[in-house]
């Protein structure tokens, strides 16, 4: 079997065209653009690059963006003040705090301060709590897990009653994607670094979401034949054959998985472009909600 490749880049481009049209309609209707506010603390090159990519994608779609770029030695109060400024800025509808924050900053306090109405990253504990509760819906769901769910839909995954295995339980990927799969009525198993017999668990998975940050860790012969595989892992590995001397690979060994899976995402070009797109979609949703509240 050769798996169908789930093309996250193509899905993201299609959705971004729709978002750009929606942003233009918004601007025409209200006379101002939807706005995203970003807080970046420190000079981690990967975080700075993610922020640049997110802002560029927003600007291309007609979403205005404002960034608070704070030095790494900023105090808790200074970071909180940046969030408060964005909370109080009527031109900003969505707020993104780029993680990780420096170790001396309380991420919990900062994320808890983001206005619920502007929590486009979906990391506010109330939004996560609503995601976890039966019969409740969060205002926003986190971008990467939402991107995974859209790609599963694109791949035609039947989630109801399916065995879904999530490898990784981080606050930003594994945990929320497991909650979203459970809301979609899958039977969810979460694996992490202390899990025993992970291969046996993965062998039962109709749907596998891998988010551990270990290059090519999950091998093709661990998979259930026909499984739908969403590979969130984005791992930089040395590759002298590349002009830059490195390339990115997922947490799943792509070549061997291609022979067994029914469908699989690529790295890069799978979940990555979807993450930014979901952030943009959430920003449009936030802008429309806030604009309607103001005009009511
Ligand atoms: P993280 O916070 O480091 O969490 C890793 C998770 O994997 C933890 O729950 C850890 O278990 C588990 N784990 C680690 N080694 C394991 C092993 N050998 N077996 C089973 N579980 C193991 O990472 P993250 O932020 O979730 O990111 C995961 C990957 O996704 C990274 O490669 C990251 O770059 C990528 N990512 C991509 C996007 C995107 O947009 N494409 C967005 C976010 C993240 P414990 O909880 O027990 O420690």
């Amino acid at each position: 079997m050769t798996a169908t490749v789930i093309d996250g880049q193509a899905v993201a481009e299609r959705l971004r065209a729709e978002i750009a049209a929606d942003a233009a309609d918004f601007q025409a209707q209200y006379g101002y653009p939807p706005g995203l506010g970003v807080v970046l603390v420190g000079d981690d090159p990967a975080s700075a690059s993610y922020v640049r990519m997110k802002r560029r994608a927003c600007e291309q779609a007609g979403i205005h963006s404002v960034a608070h770029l704070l030095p790494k030695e900023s105090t808790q109060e200074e970071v909180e003040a940046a969030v408060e400024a964005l909370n109080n800025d009527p031109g900003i509808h969505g707020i993104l705090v780029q993680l990780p924050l420096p170790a001396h900053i309380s991420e919990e306090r900062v994320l808890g301060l983001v206005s619920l109405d502007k929590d486009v990253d979906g990391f506010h504990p109330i939004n996560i709590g609503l995601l976890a509760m039966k019969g409740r819906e969060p205002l926003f769901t986190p971008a990467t897990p939402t991107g995974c769910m859209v790609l599963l839909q694109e791949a035609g995954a039947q989630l109801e009653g399916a065995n879904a295995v999530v490898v990784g339980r981080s606050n930003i990927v594994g945990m929320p994607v497991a909650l979203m799969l459970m809301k979609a009525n899958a039977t969810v198993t979460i694996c992490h670094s202390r899990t025993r017999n992970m291969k046996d668990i993965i062998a039962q998975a109709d749907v596998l979401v891998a988010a551990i940050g270990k290059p090519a860790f999950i091998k093709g012969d661990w998979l259930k034949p026909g499984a739908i595989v969403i590979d969130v892992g984005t791992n930089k590995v040395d590759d002298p054959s590349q002009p830059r001397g490195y390339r990115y690979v997922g947490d799943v060994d792509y070549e061997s998985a291609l022979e067994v899976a029914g469908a699989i995402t690529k790295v890069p070009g799978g979940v990555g472009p979807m993450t930014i797109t979901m952030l943009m979609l959430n920003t449009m949703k936030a802008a429309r909600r806030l604009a309607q509240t103001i005009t009511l």
Side-chain angles (χ1 to χ4, degrees):
M1 180 190 296
T2 300
T4 304
V5 177
I6 309 166
D7 188 345
Q9 186 65 43
V11 178
E13 278 171 23
R14 194 183 74 219
L15 292 174
R16 284 185 201 188
E18 290 172 17
I19 293 166
D22 192 24
D25 281 353
F26 182 94
Q27 166 90 48
Q29 189 175 354
Y30 295 106
Y32 55 86
L36 175 73
V38 180
V39 177
L40 171 67
V41 189
D43 48 16
D44 174 59
S47 293
S49 150
Y50 290 142
V51 163
R52 271 196 307 276
M53 280 161 57
K54 288 169 185 174
R55 294 191 68 201
R56 197 181 314 129
C58 281
E59 297 294 347
Q60 280 169 355
I63 298 172
H64 164 66
S65 84
V66 167
H68 288 251
L69 306 175
L70 305 179
K72 64 175 180 298
E73 56 279 356
S74 301
T75 63
Q76 180 77 32
E77 290 68 30
E78 285 165 337
V79 179
E80 291 183 9
V83 172
E84 284 292 15
L86 294 170
N87 279 343
N88 296 325
D89 184 340
I92 292 299
H93 309 101
I95 298 174
L96 157 79
V97 178
Q98 184 63 41
L99 301 177
L101 291 167
H104 67 280
I105 303 291
S106 162
E107 178 189 298
E108 187 177 353
R109 273 174 49 196
V110 172
L111 295 182
L113 207 63
V114 173
S115 158
L116 266 184
D117 291 326
K118 300 187 178 185
D119 181 35
V120 290
D121 248 344
F123 291 148
H124 191 290
I126 290 184
N127 272 325
I128 292 287
L130 290 168
L131 179 62
M133 292 169 84
K134 195 175 162 88
R136 310 282 164 84
E137 289 298 334
L139 281 175
F140 303 101
T141 52
T144 302
T146 309
C148 295
M149 297 301 288
V150 172
L151 291 181
L152 283 170
Q153 201 179 1
E154 286 286 328
Q158 300 298 317
L159 294 177
E160 180 140 345
N163 281 339
V165 173
V166 178
V167 191
R169 57 173 167 179
S170 71
N171 286 342
I172 64 168
V173 190
M175 177 269 287
V177 84
L179 294 174
M180 294 175 87
L181 285 162
M182 192 161 61
K183 259 203 173 15
N185 293 323
T187 302
V188 182
T189 308
I190 303 169
C191 299
H192 47 76
S193 66
R194 321 288 162 80
T195 299
R196 296 191 197 113
N197 306 327
M198 199 165 76
K199 278 168 76 168
D200 296 341
I201 296 168
I202 289 175
Q204 303 296 317
D206 302 306
V207 168
L208 176 74
V209 179
I212 55 177
K214 300 257 184 302
F217 185 84
I218 296 167
K219 310 300 177 200
D221 62 5
W222 299 13
L223 302 175
K224 178 175 177 177
I228 300 183
V229 178
I230 305 292
D231 191 353
V232 185
T234 311
N235 308 291
K236 197 174 176 178
V237 294
D238 291 338
D239 184 349
S241 74
Q242 299 292 318
R244 293 180 299 187
Y246 63 86
R247 69 192 162 97
Y248 288 98
V249 300
D251 291 339
V252 179
D253 181 42
Y254 183 74
E255 298 303 330
S256 62
L258 211 51
E259 299 305 313
V260 185
I264 185 168
T265 57
K266 277 196 300 194
V267 179
V271 177
M274 291 301 291
T275 295
I276 299 180
T277 309
M278 295 302 109
L279 173 75
M280 294 157 74
L281 213 52
N282 275 349
T283 303
M284 282 311 308
K285 180 180 173 186
R288 291 220 171 266
R289 277 190 79 249
L290 285 167
Q292 275 159 16
T293 316
I294 291 163
T295 47
L296 277 179

